[in-house]
Structures are given as C-alpha cells and as structure tokens.
C-alpha cells in the first residue's frame, strides 16, 4: 500500500494495452498532465523536458523496447476527439498507424468514445496532423480500424552506403508518415518471410546507422524532420493472386524487428511499389510481417506534397485489447531516480 505520509513519492499511471498487427501500444489514459498546446508542441516538450517518461516505459521492468507508449491528452482543436503523442525507442514519431489503432481500441474500452454502431469516425490530433479513423464494430466489439494516411512520397533518387558484411547497399528514403530507409531484400540476400529475425536485425543494426549518418531528412511542407530511425526491408512481391501479398520487415531503432507491418510501414511500402511502377491507384495489397501479421493497404490516388508528387493510401487492420492496469512509480526506486517525469493527473481526453 502507498504510504500517505510521503506525499509525492508515488505516481500511478492508468494504462490500457492493445495490439494491432502484433505491435503493442501501451495507451496511457490517466496519470500524466502536460501544459496546453498542440500534440506537436507537447511531443517537443516531452522530448526536451520530460523524456524520462518515454525511457521509463520502454525499458524493463516498467516496459519493453518492443512496445510503444501512446499518451492520450485533451486535443488543442475542438474538432478532434483526443490528442495523441507516441513514444518509443525511436523517439517521438509524428504518426504511427498501429498505435493510432491501439489508441482507438483503448478509447472505446475506457468509454471515452462510444462503440460504433456499426461504424463511426474518430479524429485524432497527432504531432503530424489530424488523422480521421473509421471504426467498425461487429458482434458488440471493435472489429476493424481504417484510416486515410498522411500523404507519402519518396525522396528522388537512389542512395548507396557501404555496410560491413553486406557491401554496397542501395536504398530509397520514403516518407509514410515518418521517414524510412527502404531496401530491396533480394539485393542483400535476405527474405522477410524466411530469413531468421535475428539475421534481419543484424542487417539493420549495421545498415541503419550508416544510412542515418549520411542524410538529413526534410519534409517539403514541414521542414527538417528527426533523424532516420526506421528501416524497411521489402521482400517477396506477389501481385498476381486475388489478394496480392507483399512480405516486409520493419525495423525500429533500438534493435527491434516489429511484429507487424506497421501502418506507416505499409504506406511506405505502397509508395515504394508505386515508384517502381508495380502498382497503380486503386491497387490493394496485404502487407505481411515476418511474424505473419498483416495490414491491408490501398493506394487511393496521387497528390502534391509541396513540390513533389506523393500518394494517398488507406490502411486497415484489427486492434485487440490485451490488458487494463496501473503502473506504480516509486520515486525512491533507483530505477526511477533521475527520470524527468511530467507531474500530475491528466484530465480525460476531450476535456480541458
């Protein structure tokens, strides 16, 4: 039990864990308070002044590097249902499809939004902008979440870097809501569907620091972006069957091969396929991870992204609830000491 004579020593965070495509999002629904601001401003504030929360919840014993933390906050715009800040070993991505799906499942579970009957929209304010998700219920539970992704695009031209053990590796820089270094798996002798996951991680551990150190990432509308922290290995492309399948592996800085294809990874894959002339608007593919988890991605059209031609995509998947819990943070615990944590309870999303 908490010691009432030591006010301020203990913190309690209210969590709902969910997964979408196998990737776990730990959704913080209470226990954190941040100053008013946009989701982007709050993400920058956490990175600058409160990064201990991210580090604490993505490390054992409070968390795990393979999991992301999704912080629900009141939105800064009245049209949004909630603000969402995403944190992981890679830092503070502007958007993540699987984490948006997990946040949607948690909001339904916590009754912050009603279960759709049978379909309804949910608008999330993320650091990358507003994203509208379509929630569909079936048999009294949330069955699927689909969303129109942020416009994706490829940086013009191939890039090449020298990687120890693999020689010269060719890749493209692709934006799917965050930037990825996309590598054709066949060119480096790997296959996301058959190569052991440990070997996929070994490749990315050697490759990504080389690629990240050589390129500044710039979005034509949003300016300089965070350093490269995500990689994508595009494997077997089978576009012949009725439901075309593409194997891929997504790597997250920190040594993690994601269990799912991820939402932004699926968008980046569609951008890459479109750049190669492999798919046209209207095409739908199943993006399948090394663990057999999948999302469906549809290339819905093209659009301008600043002075570049980008593509629009719609990503769909199914989130599953895992747990509802509380984490107790004891400031006297040496594992907590030194973590710069934001203070106070958070009002429920949708309130101010």
């Amino acid at each position: 039990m908490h010691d009432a004579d030591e006010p301020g020593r203990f913190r309690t965070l209210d969590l709902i864990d969910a997964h979408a495509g196998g990737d776990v999002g730990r959704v913080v629904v209470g226990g954190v308070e941040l100053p008013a601001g946009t989701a982007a401003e709050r993400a920058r504030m956490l990175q600058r002044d409160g990064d201990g929360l991210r580090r604490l919840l993505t490390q054992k014993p409070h968390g795990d590097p393979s999991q992301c933390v999704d912080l629900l906050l009141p939105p800064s715009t009245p049209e949004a249902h909630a603000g969402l800040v995403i944190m992981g070993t890679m830092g503070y991505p502007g958007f993540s499809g699987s984490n948006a799906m997990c946040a949607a499942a948690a909001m339904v579970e916590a009754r912050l939004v009603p279960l759709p009957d049978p379909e309804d929209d949910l608008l999330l304010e993320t650091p990358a902008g507003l994203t509208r998700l379509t929630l569909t219920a079936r048999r009294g539970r949330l069955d699927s979440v689909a969303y129109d992704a942020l416009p994706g695009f490829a940086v013009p031209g191939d890039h090449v870097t020298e990687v120890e053990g693999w020689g010269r590796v060719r890749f493209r820089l692709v934006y799917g809501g965050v930037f990825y270094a996309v590598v054709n798996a066949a060119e480096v002798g790997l296959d996301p569907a058959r190569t052991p996951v440990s070997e996929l991680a070994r490749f990315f551990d050697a490759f990504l620091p080389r690629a990240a150190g050589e390129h500044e990432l710039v979005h034509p509308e949003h300016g300089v972006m965070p350093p490269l922290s995500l990689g994508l290995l595009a494997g077997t492309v089978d576009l012949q069957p009725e439901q075309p399948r593409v194997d891929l592996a997504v790597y997250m800085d920190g040594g993690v091969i994601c269990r799912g294809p991820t939402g932004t990874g699926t968008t980046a894959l569609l951008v890459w396929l479109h750049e190669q002339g492999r798919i046209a608007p209207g095409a739908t593919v199943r993006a399948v991870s090394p663990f057999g988890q999948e999302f469906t991605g549809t290339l819905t059209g093209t659009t301008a992204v600043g002075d570049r031609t980008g593509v629009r995509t719609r990503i769909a998947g199914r989130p599953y609830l895992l747990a509802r819990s509380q984490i107790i943070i004891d400031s006297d615990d040496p594992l907590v000491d030194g973590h710069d944590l934001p203070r106070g309870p958070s009002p429920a999303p949708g309130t101010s």
Side-chain angles (χ1 to χ4, degrees):
M1 296 180 62
H2 297 188
D3 190 337
D5 294 330
E6 296 186 71
R9 174 180 166 183
F10 295 99
R11 299 276 308 280
T12 300
L13 303 184
D14 298 315
L15 304 176
I16 297 177
D17 291 2
H19 85 82
D23 290 318
V24 176
R26 310 200 77 189
V27 186
V28 182
V29 296
V32 176
E33 181 177 309
L34 297 179
T38 66
E41 290 167 343
R42 287 158 159 172
R44 288 194 294 269
M45 187 279 292
L46 281 169
Q47 188 169 23
R48 183 184 65 245
D49 301 323
D51 191 51
L53 181 66
R54 179 190 67 85
R55 289 183 281 114
L56 187 73
L57 296 182
T58 56
Q59 299 172 1
K60 294 182 181 301
H62 291 90
D64 187 271
S66 66
Q67 301 171 348
C68 285
V69 179
D70 304 319
L71 180 59
L72 288 177
L73 295 162
S76 67
T77 174
E79 59 186 312
H81 292 89
L84 176 64
V85 173
I86 303 160
M87 300 175 279
T89 60
M90 85 300 283
Y92 297 81
F95 181 75
S96 164
S98 59
N99 284 285
M101 293 180 191
C102 290
M107 290 182 70
V108 171
E109 170 67 12
R111 294 182 171 83
L112 299 175
V113 294
L115 181 72
D117 181 26
E119 186 175 289
D120 207 351
D121 285 346
L122 174 70
L123 192 63
L124 293 178
E125 178 197 350
T126 73
L130 293 173
T131 297
R132 188 175 301 277
L133 298 91
T134 301
L135 279 56
T136 303
R138 184 170 177 265
R139 295 179 180 174
R141 58 147 292 157
L142 185 61
D143 185 68
S144 67
V145 176
Y147 65 91
D148 292 316
L150 298 166
F153 63 89
V155 175
D158 288 335
H159 302 282
V160 178
T161 190
E162 193 74 30
V163 180
E164 185 176 356
W166 276 272
R168 290 168 60 82
V169 175
R170 185 166 64 100
F171 65 97
R172 295 295 300 270
L173 291 172
V174 178
Y175 181 83
V178 289
F179 272 100
Y180 285 83
V182 181
V183 176
N184 186 330
E187 294 183 0
V188 291
L190 299 172
D191 183 345
R194 295 175 176 83
T195 302
V197 170
S198 59
E199 184 70 1
L200 299 177
R202 192 173 74 85
F203 166 73
F204 278 115
D205 287 342
F207 161 71
L208 199 64
R210 296 285 302 175
E214 297 170 359
H215 300 280
E216 182 181 59
L217 304 178
V218 180
H219 190 287
E221 295 178 343
H222 304 306
V224 176
M225 305 295 282
L228 186 67
S229 62
L230 294 162
L232 189 153
L233 201 62
T236 304
V237 180
D238 184 0
L239 300 179
Q240 299 305 313
E242 186 175 333
Q243 288 188 316
R245 167 182 174 139
V246 182
D247 294 308
L248 80 165
V250 171
Y251 174 88
M252 189 166 62
D253 192 18
V256 175
I257 297 292
C258 295
R259 296 196 66 84
T262 76
T264 55
T266 302
T267 291
L269 176 71
L270 294 173
V271 173
W272 184 77
L273 291 170
H274 182 258
E275 283 284 302
Q276 292 187 324
R278 305 290 297 273
I279 60 172
T284 297
V285 301
R286 293 164 50 221
V288 184
S289 79
F291 300 91
Q293 301 288 334
E294 64 180 70
F295 283 159
T296 300
T298 301
L299 183 64
T300 57
T302 60
T303 186
V305 183
D307 58 354
R308 295 178 184 160
T309 299
V311 300
R312 293 193 178 277
T313 60
R314 186 164 179 82
I315 311 301
R318 184 176 182 179
Y320 295 85
L321 294 169
L322 296 174
R324 187 162 189 168
S325 63
Q326 290 184 325
I327 283 183
I328 297 171
I329 300 173
D330 184 346
S331 61
D332 281 0
D333 187 339
L335 293 171
V336 175
D337 186 44
H339 285 70
D340 39 347
L341 303 174
R343 302 297 305 176
S346 173
T351 67
S352 57

